[in-house]
């Protein structure tokens, strides 16, 4: 303890730190059941059983468990096989591709992609993702590996007739360009949509689904709300990306599928729709996007 610190200030700081990690209270149940279109149960503290029970209690009855590397994708597939409310998506995350290429060159990256393709062929795996491009965490040296991996995932999704789930961070133009060059799968989902209203119109014209996460509730997220406002209701999905992106007023605390109602209600307000109307759209859209 520094000389300027007092026991009271230290205790208060510790309490605040603990409170920041306390799971938020459950919101009121939704008026219509929906799915969390993108979550990472393997990164969350509760057991799968507890997470699914808490979600079901607020009418979040389906979750898409997303893998980000070969090991986590295998876990996603196994969990989806074991739990009826869970479906899986498998892929190498855009930041995993350059890591593998740096470790073992193109051969190691392609070996991992072959492993993902084997998992993607399983019946409980409904999507290839999250794949795409991330120019925020990976510098220019990783771009080639990311592009190679993204194109391979697109081909895989089309060959296996699976949905494609896209991670797009500070790479909008290149993501859209590569989708156009390769030919997007029939069902393409922009996870944690991060573009502006103009890009939302472009996605809508192409028939791409746009999934919004808890960051749409953040004070500084007006551009996201502007994009949501112009996105067609029939192309909207909702997600947690848990344990990340916990919606307001609980930003910074652990996220989980049971908090979907907070994001959906904020989306409904932005869209000028009732909660039930938007929930019905989202439930139908998610089933259509992932094919369940």
């Amino acid at each position: 303890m520094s000389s300027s610190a007092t026991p009271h200030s230290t205790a208060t700081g510790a309490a605040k730190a603990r409170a920041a990690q306390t799971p938020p209270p459950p919101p009121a149940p939704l008026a219509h059941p929906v799915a969390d279109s993108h979550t990472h149960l393997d990164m969350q503290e509760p057991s799968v059983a507890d997470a699914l029970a808490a979600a079901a209690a607020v009418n979040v009855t389906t979750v898409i468990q997303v893998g980000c590397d070969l090991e986590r994708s295998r876990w996603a597939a196994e969990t989806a096989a074991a739990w009826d409310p869970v479906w899986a998506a498998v892929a190498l995350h855009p930041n995993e591709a350059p890591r593998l290429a740096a470790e073992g060159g193109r051969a190691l990256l392609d070996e991992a992609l072959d492993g993902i393709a084997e998992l993607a062929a399983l019946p409980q795996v409904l999507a290839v993702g999250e794949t795409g491009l991330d120019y925020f965490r990976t510098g220019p040296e990783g771009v080639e590996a990311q592009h190679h991996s993204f194109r391979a995932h697109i081909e895989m999704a089309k060959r296996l007739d699976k949905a494609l789930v896209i991670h797009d961070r500070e790479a909008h133009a290149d993501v859209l360009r590569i989708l156009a060059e390769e030919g997007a799968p029939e069902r393409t989902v922009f996870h944690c949509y991060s573009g502006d209203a103009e890009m939302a119109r472009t996605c809508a014209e192409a028939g791409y689904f746009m999934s919004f996460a808890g960051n749409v509730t953040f004070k500084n997220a007006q551009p996201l709300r502007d994009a949501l406002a112009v996105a067609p209701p029939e192309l909207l999905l909702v997600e947690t990306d848990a344990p990340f992106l916990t919606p307001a007023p609980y930003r910074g605390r652990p996220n989980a599928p049971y908090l979907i109602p907070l994001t959906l209600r904020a989306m409904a307000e932005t869209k000028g729709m009732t909660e039930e109307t938007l929930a019905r759209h989202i439930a139908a859209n998610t089933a259509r996007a992932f094919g369940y």
Side-chain angles (χ1 to χ4, degrees), residues 15 28 41 47 54 63 88 110 121 133 135 149 167 177 186 206-208 220 226 234 252 272:
L41 295 170
S47 67
V63 302
D110 284 343
L133 304 176
Y135 294 167
S149 179
H167 171 107
R177 175 180 59 81
E186 183 178 344
Y208 301 152
N220 63 350
D226 293 342
E234 61 270 17

Side-chain angles (χ1 to χ4, degrees), residues 3-267:
S3 58
S4 61
T6 67
H8 175 73
S9 66
T10 302
T12 300
K16 287 182 177 178
R18 285 195 301 272
Q21 296 303 314
T22 301
L30 288 167
H32 188 273
V34 299
D36 179 352
S37 75
H38 193 112
T39 197
H40 302 282
L41 295 170
D42 51 323
M43 301 182 193
Q44 297 167 40
E45 283 301 318
S47 67
V48 172
D50 288 347
L52 295 177
V58 296
N59 236 353
V60 178
T61 56
T62 303
V63 302
I64 309 296
Q65 165 64 25
V66 180
C68 293
D69 58 27
L70 192 52
E71 180 182 357
R72 291 181 185 275
S73 292
R74 190 172 291 113
W75 188 93
E78 291 170 354
T79 302
W83 296 91
D84 287 343
V86 182
W87 297 101
V90 300
L92 304 179
H93 189 281
N95 293 326
E96 174 71 359
R99 187 193 72 77
L100 288 169
E103 180 182 320
R106 178 65 66 80
L108 184 62
L109 174 55
D110 284 343
E111 181 181 343
L113 287 166
D114 288 343
I116 293 295
E118 290 182 15
L119 293 171
L122 296 171
Q124 72 270 27
V125 177
L126 300 186
V128 172
E130 57 186 287
T131 180
L133 304 176
D134 188 323
Y135 294 167
F136 178 74
R137 296 197 182 281
T138 298
E141 72 284 352
V143 167
E144 192 277 334
Q146 283 197 1
H147 285 203
H148 172 74
S149 179
F150 186 26
R151 292 179 191 274
H153 282 90
I154 293 171
E155 185 278 331
M156 191 188 305
K158 290 195 294 186
R159 172 166 45 87
L160 297 172
D161 191 26
K162 307 283 180 166
L164 181 74
V165 176
I166 293 175
H167 171 107
D168 164 27
R169 190 165 188 187
E170 298 187 6
H172 306 322
D174 280 355
V175 166
L176 291 171
R177 175 180 59 81
I178 290 174
L179 281 173
E181 289 174 357
E182 296 293 323
E186 183 178 344
R187 294 168 290 124
T188 295
V189 177
F190 274 77
H191 131 71
C192 191
Y193 181 84
S194 60
D196 58 12
E198 181 181 356
M199 181 173 162
R201 293 186 181 95
T202 299
C203 288
E205 289 174 5
Y208 301 152
F209 293 92
M210 290 164 271
S211 184
F212 286 82
N215 55 338
V216 76
T217 69
F218 296 172
K219 287 183 179 179
N220 63 350
Q222 191 56 47
L224 272 185
R225 289 187 284 275
D226 293 342
L228 172 60
V230 303
E234 61 270 17
L235 292 175
L236 290 177
L237 308 180
V238 66
E239 66 174 87
T240 56
D241 198 22
F244 314 107
L245 300 177
T246 311
Y250 304 109
R251 185 177 182 180
R253 291 164 71 171
N255 201 4
Y258 77 91
L259 294 174
I260 278 284
L262 297 176
T263 301
L264 189 144
R265 288 178 177 128
M267 292 172 64

